[in-house]
Amino acid sequence: EAIDYCLPYPDKLKLQRDKALEEVNPYLDGSTSKRIVTALEKLNPKDYPKKHKPLNLIRKWQIIYHSVFRKGYLR
């Protein structure tokens, strides 16, 4: 039934489908890979890796405490 409905109006349905795709993702124009390569080339390798995570000494102490004294799981 749906196919029979679509056959007489292929151009109209194609326009509707293209419009819906444009609303969902406007970057499906065939040059997505080109944009990705351009964005990667703009990255400065000296900026990465970013700042390291801070030391979590309390968490490390809890792990040591529970492994030595409690012999069980953390909280």
Side-chain angles (χ1 to χ4, degrees):
E1 198 175 306
I3 293 173
D4 291 335
Y5 173 76
C6 295
L7 287 177
Y9 311 108
D11 295 332
K12 179 181 176 185
L13 294 176
K14 182 181 182 327
L15 291 174
Q16 289 176 348
R17 186 179 62 240
D18 291 344
K19 183 180 174 186
L21 279 173
E22 182 68 28
E23 289 176 9
V24 172
N25 189 352
Y27 301 109
L28 293 176
D29 58 357
S31 60
T32 303
S33 298
K34 186 177 183 180
R35 278 194 293 275
I36 290 172
V37 170
T38 304
L40 289 174
E41 288 174 345
K42 289 181 183 178
L43 292 176
N44 186 359
K46 294 179 182 177
D47 293 341
Y48 297 95
K50 295 272 184 179
K51 201 167 85 173
H52 296 288
K53 290 172 60 174
L55 287 176
N56 193 343
L57 297 176
I58 294 173
R59 179 74 176 154
K60 288 184 182 197
W61 181 83
Q62 286 177 337
I63 291 170
I64 293 170
Y65 175 78
H66 283 275
S67 66
V68 172
F69 297 109
R70 295 290 179 116
K71 302 287 185 201
Y73 296 105
L74 293 174
R75 293 186 225 158

